Each structure stands twice: as C-alpha cells, then as structure tokens.
Amino acid sequence: MKGQQLANGIVRTALMVLVVAAALPALAQEQGQLETLMNATGLKMEKLEADTWKVPFDGDNGKTLEVYVTYSNDKKLSALIFCTVVDRDANFQFNREVLARAMVISNDQPFIKIVLDADHGDLDCQTEAYMPTLTAEALKMYLDTVASISDQYGAELNQLAGQ
C-alpha cells in the first residue's frame, strides 16, 4: 500500500512539473511583455514594427550606434539585443584576422558575443536574454553593454575587415 502511494505521489509530482514546463512558453508570449520592459528602461527608442525596437546610443567617436531589440524566434522565450559592428555587402568573405579577433572579444567580454551574419555581410555584437527572468533593469544593462562593446571594438574590427 505504501509503495502504491509513493508511486502515485511521484506520478502527481511529474505531472505538475510537466504542466508548469508547458506553461512557461505561454508566460513568455504574454502580449506586450517585451514592450513593457522596453518602456520601463526609460531609454529613447523607436518602435520599428511589432516586437522590434531601435535604441540609439552616442558613441565615443561622435557616431550614433543603433542597438536593436526583438525576440530571438517565434516562441518568444528570449530577447535578442544586437548592434551591427561591421557592415559589408551580402556574403562578404571576412578574413581570418577579423574573425579571430571577434572570437577573442567574445571570450573576453561578459554577456556578449561577436557573431558573423554571413548572409548579410555583418559582424554583430549581440546577447540573448531569457524572457521569463528578464527585468527592465537587466534589459537596460544588456542594451548598454552591447552599445559599449560595439563602440569600443567597432573601429578595430572595421580596420581588420579592410575599412
């Protein structure tokens, strides 16, 4: 009898875990969650389309950096925050030096990575944040970090890429 009760308790617990796990995506898809967080950052921004924003940052060299925020996919489980650091023609072939430097920067800097968007000929500085745990304060920190790292390494990466 006790064995059967234990087995029933385990089954009930497993079912509860499955129900909670199934509900997490629904929480992330809640209408306007990212928009609410974006508005709460207090940053100047432009809404480009549903669930996509452009946030301008003044760079140290007088250039305005454009950091973009959107969901990373249709499931809306994570926010994608990125800035194009090197912009070339589509399918541009980046040299080994620029790609190696991008890997070192990605390793050395917290929260971000420099990624190759080969189809568009870009190197982007980006991060992703898990929506169910994201706060406006953390989102602002991610935006600031992406802008700062993009500004800090943009000229160097462009020079290595041949500009």
Side-chain angles (χ1 to χ4, degrees):
M1 187 65 135
K2 286 189 178 190
Q4 181 64 33
Q5 288 175 338
L6 179 60
N8 287 342
I10 291 171
V11 168
R12 277 189 295 243
T13 302
L15 286 173
M16 287 175 43
V17 168
L18 288 173
V19 167
V20 169
L24 283 177
L27 292 173
Q29 293 174 2
E30 185 177 308
Q31 183 68 24
Q33 182 183 9
L34 187 54
E35 184 165 13
T36 299
L37 292 171
M38 287 294 296
N39 290 333
T41 66
L43 295 171
K44 178 183 169 188
M45 70 191 83
E46 176 185 350
K47 188 168 185 175
L48 301 176
E49 56 188 61
D51 299 328
T52 303
W53 294 264
K54 177 174 66 174
V55 183
F57 285 88
D58 294 329
D60 289 339
N61 62 3
K63 180 181 172 186
T64 298
L65 299 161
E66 296 174 340
V67 179
Y68 295 87
V69 180
T70 190
Y71 288 108
S72 62
N73 59 38
D74 291 337
K75 293 183 181 181
K76 299 183 178 183
L77 282 176
S78 61
L80 175 65
I81 301 119
F82 71 96
C83 179
T84 298
V85 180
V86 179
D87 186 12
R88 298 292 187 273
D89 292 333
N91 300 308
F92 180 82
Q93 296 296 309
F94 286 95
N95 62 53
R96 181 178 182 191
E97 290 77 19
V98 72
L99 295 175
R101 183 63 179 134
M103 290 175 68
V104 169
I105 295 166
S106 295
N107 184 66
D108 291 349
Q109 296 299 320
F111 308 114
I112 66 92
K113 55 190 172 187
I114 304 292
V115 299
L116 172 63
D117 181 354
D119 292 344
H120 295 102
D122 296 339
L123 287 179
D124 295 334
C125 178
Q126 74 177 41
T127 192
E128 292 183 60
Y130 185 55
M131 288 302 300
T133 61
L134 188 61
T135 64
E137 181 180 80
L139 178 57
K140 184 178 184 312
M141 182 272 308
Y142 288 127
L143 284 156
D144 290 340
T145 301
V146 166
S148 176
I149 298 301
S150 298
D151 190 42
Q152 182 177 349
Y153 293 103
E156 177 186 0
L157 291 170
N158 273 285
Q159 183 178 19
L160 288 171
Q163 180 182 7

